[in-house]
Structures are given as C-alpha cells and as structure tokens.
Amino acid sequence: MSASPAPPPRPPLPAGRFAIFAAASAAILASFQYTGFNPALLFSAESLGAIADFGMGFLPPDLSPGFLATTLEPALETIQLATAGMAVALLFGIPLALMATGTFHLGGALFEGGTPAGGPRRALSAAPYWISRLLLNGMRSIPELIWALLFVRLAGLGPAAGILGIGVAYAGILGKVFAEIMEGTDIRPAAALVAAGSTRPRAILYGVFPGSFRTLLSYALYRWECAMRAAAILGFVGAGGLGQQIEISMRMFEHQRTATLILELFLLVTLSDVISAHLRRKFA
Amino acid sequence: MDTAFELVDVHKRFRLANGDWNEAIRGVSLTVRQGESIAVIGPSGAGKTTLLRLLNLTLRPDSGEVRINGTDPSRVKVRALRRLRARTGTVYQQHNLIPSLRTVHNILAGRLSSWSILRSLHSLISPREIGSAAEAARKVGVLDKLWERTDRLSGGEQQRVAIARALIQNPRHLLADEPVASVDPSRADALITLLRELNESEGKTIVVNLHDVPIALRHFPRILGLHAGRVFFDLPPGEIKADLLMRLYEGDEDMTEGETRAWIDETMKGSLAG
Ligand SMILES: Nc1ncnc2c1ncn2[C@@H]1O[C@H](COP(=O)(O)OP(=O)(O)OP(=O)(O)O)[C@@H](O)[C@H]1O
Ligand SMILES: [Mg+2]
C-alpha cells in the first residue's frame, strides 16, 4: 500500500463568516437590553392576573345573529382589500422581480450577446438589476400603513388608499423574494436554451419558471394571507373592513364583539391557508 | 467547401477557488468543414467540454479567434448572434434539461429559437407541433415517455431527450458532449449511428466528445485527441495506434500506467490499426 498523498490545501474561507455570526448574536442580545424588555415580566403573578381579567372580558364572543349579519360586509371588504392589493402587488412585483434576479443579468450565463467581457457593456447590462433593487428597497422600507396614509392624501379616505398601500409595499416584498426564488433555480437549462438561439425571455419562461412556479405560487398565497392582516390594520385608519369594526368596538369597550371580529379574522386567515394548500397540491 | 467552425490559436482559462488560474484550452487551432463529423477524445480534464462550449458560443476565448461559418460572433449584433446560435444544437454532458417539465416540452424547447414568446407560452399550456416532438422522441427511443415528467426519467432516457431536443432544433451543426455516457452499449451504438446518419443524409456537421474510444474509432472518419488543453493528434482512425492512445491518456488521474495499458489493449482489440 502506498501512502495516500496529502490533500491539496483548503482554499481560505470567505473572510469574516465567524465574525458576522458573532456580531449578529451580539446585536440580538443588545436589542433586548436596549428596549428594556424583560421576558420574566410577562410571567409575574401580578401581570398574569391582569392578563386573565382582561381576557375574561372577551368571553363569550357575541354570536347574536343580528351582530353577525352586520359583520358580513366588513369581512368581505377585508377580503376584497387584500385581494385587490395583491393584484396590484403582482402587477408591479413580477416585472421588478425579473429585473432584480441576479442570474438573469449578472455573470453572463443568459447573455444573448455572449458573456460581456467587461467595461461599459457589462456595466450597462447590470443596470436593470441595480435600478430595480433600489426601487424595491424603497417600496419595502415604507410600511403599508404609511403608504396608505400617503395615498389617503392623493385618493381620499376609503379602500383605494388601502389597496394602493398594500400594493406598493407588497410589490416591494414580492419583487425581492420572487427574485431570490428564481436566483435559487439552476440557470443552466435556461442558458442551454439561450445557447440554442432563444431570447432571454423565452429561455426564462421555459428554463426558470416551471421549476420555481410552485414556490412562487406558495409564497404569493402566503402574502395574500398577510395582506388579509394588513387590510385589517388599514381598517384602523379608515380603509373599512373588519379592522375598522374592531377599532370601533374596542373604542366602545364592546370586548365581546371585538372577540367575534377577531375570530372572523382568524377564519379568514385559515380560509386562505386552506385555499393555498389546495392550490399547491393542484400544481404539485 | 464551407468551413463550419474555425478556431485560431484559442486560449481559455478559468479562475480556481484558491485564486489560481487553470488554463483549460492552451492554443488550439482547428478547422471543421461543413458536413464533417469529428470525435474528440482525451482524458478527463483535457478540455473537451470547454472546447465544445467555445464552439457553441457559451464561452468566449480569452485570446485567439472563433468563427462560425466564417462569422466572428464577437463582431455581430444580438439578432445575428442569435441566428448564429440557432444554427448549432448542443447535447450537454449534464443534459441541462428542465426537470419539472414533461418530456414533450423539453423536446419542444428545441423550437424556441423559431417561436415567438406567445407561441412558446401557448405551447407550455397546450403543446404545439406534437407531431414533430413525437417523431424526434421516436428516433431516440423515448416515445413512450413523451408525457412523463422529465425528472422521473432514467439517466439514459434523459440523455436521449436531450438529443431529441437538439434534433428538433434542426441545426446545421450538432455538438454532443458524451451523448452516450449514460446509455447501455447497444443503445449507444444506435444513437451514434443516428447522429452519423444525420451527418451523412442531411450534411450536418457533428462534433462529439467521447470517452468510449472504440465507438469513436468505429464511427468517425476524423479523431481529435485532446490532451491538457492542446490538440495532441488529429487523425483518421486508421492511423491511430495503441501507442499514441497510450500517450494521449498518460497521466490520467483515474488510472495507473499499467491500468491504462491494459484498458487500451482490452478495448482496442479489433478496432485499432496495427
Ligand atoms: N467553469 C469552470 N470553472 C473552473 N474551472 C473549469 C470550469 N470549466 C472547466 N474547468 C476546468 O478546466 C479543465 C477542463 O475541463 P473540461 O470540462 O473541458 O474537461 P473535459 O475534457 O470535458 O473532462 P471530462 O472528460 O471529465 O468531461 C478542468 O481542469 C476543469 O476543472
Ligand atoms: Mg467534459
């Protein structure tokens, strides 16, 4: 038996992985310190009692037919607000995601004009990527509530401001996450299609979409569920729906009605979960 | 006669993980005439795949020139480049099929260069030109798998789907990287015969990377031996002696010298001159 040769030296790890991990842990601990939040507080006898008293006020939920009938329309409104908001988000989010997917624009795997060797052509080919990333960051950094308040100035009080608020904020989120899902898909099949003379859009349609469709769909459905919650919050600032009813009932100290409305919100989220599971199975 | 591919003193190197450079192609000059068929052989890492990728324009040379039918691809506009690329069909070593699509769509993907985006989309929903997809599938023997998801196919079946995709593209030149590596010997012979028939009856240029030396010698009139990024020999099969092969595969990491010798003696019986 001959001695096995020494393995080639391992290339150095990308610098600072450990440092990043340590810094992140420190940041998490520091956040608790800074906010003065003490988890033990939640479990003291005193606060447990207060929580129990407050909680009992919600029981039993008001299930009188008269009241339930009045909540039907707000519940529908919440679904509509969420769904229309998602439609707007997809309308802007999908094109932005296509621009923000690194594998489509950087590195040259999909370049119809060959791998840009460098210089101004390469920089230009990466422009859509950087511009869309910047736009998406801007859209995302402002929460939907603040977007909605801004749109109230433009469109007046009502659902339109809420739809646009959800639409813009969620387009920012969808654009980023969709781009990252597509980046995670093997680019070589699409590159093979470009190499055979196909254009980039066609190569992406065949080479990337089918493989990532299910994940894109499931994420979009999850976001629809989130939009349901967001729609409820927007109700607090006048966009209508269940949120507005919750706000009113809380202001009136009608806790049992609040409980009913919260239950309905729970049902909506569960409903979207069921629909999502069904659709994902259909497209499996 | 027309030249299909022309390489002049081409170099191509890659950046390694440790920051060094690996020169995969070191000054290759090569002329392939329209309608020729060539087998490229050589040890693992010799640069066969890299050479193929230079020919199908997915890699650019660091220096030297590549011309397709006399055209320098680095000098043409995007549309012309696309037409140039549509002329060459490639069968990849790793197949590069779309795993989640049905076989029929993977084959039809070979038509994308001549379809509009709307037609491409339409076909994903309801396949167009099923007849020609079925014909290509029949030729390579995967007709019964036409409606299966591609990732459910065996390795050899996937390889044949990749060949069918290149066939349906109806290219002038066909490049294939180990196209029979994952099929059984009798199937391998049949597939290479199929490629050679396309070459002889339709005048398609074919360049095939093969590690199966007997198949290469049996089917191809021109054999290119690649070693460490250089053309080691470029000969008709009749002039390739066991000694030459021995030196071509010298230093192959996978085999000791004795093993190489035994392998060549064993596999060359009857298919070698002298
Ligand atoms: N994208 C890449 N990045 C880095 N190195 C590469 C890349 N592609 C190829 N190489 C290196 O270039 C050399 C030639 O590779 P190539 O794939 O052309 O060999 P090959 O002759 O096709 O081998 P095989 O018979 O095993 O397929 C190898 O050393 C390989 O590691
Ligand atoms: Mg190879």
Side-chain angles (χ1 to χ4, degrees), chain A residues 139-184:
Chain A
M139 293 158 84
R140 241 181 14 253
S141 59
I142 302 175
E144 59 267 20
L145 182 62
I146 296 177
W147 275 119
L149 288 172
L150 290 174
F151 284 120
V152 165
R153 293 289 155 90
L154 291 176
L157 213 59
I163 290 169
L164 289 174
I166 292 178
V168 174
Y170 278 38
I173 298 169
L174 285 179
K176 176 192 162 78
V177 178
F178 276 15
E180 278 166 17
I181 290 170
M182 291 189 287
E183 253 169 42

Side-chain angles (χ1 to χ4, degrees), chain A residues 111-112 195-197 202 206 210-211, chain B residues 58 81-82 85-86 100 112 115 120:
Chain A
F111 272 90
E112 300 167 44
R202 279 176 259 163
Y206 269 64
Chain B
T58 52
L81 182 76
R82 224 151 42 210
R85 286 179 151 174
S100 52
L112 284 188
W115 282 357
S120 309

Side-chain angles (χ1 to χ4, degrees), chain B residues 14-16 22 24 43-50 93 178:
Chain B
F14 295 106
R15 193 69 177 253
L16 298 178
N22 176 11
S44 189
K48 302 183 293 295
T49 298
T50 308
Q93 196 164 9
E178 312 276 10

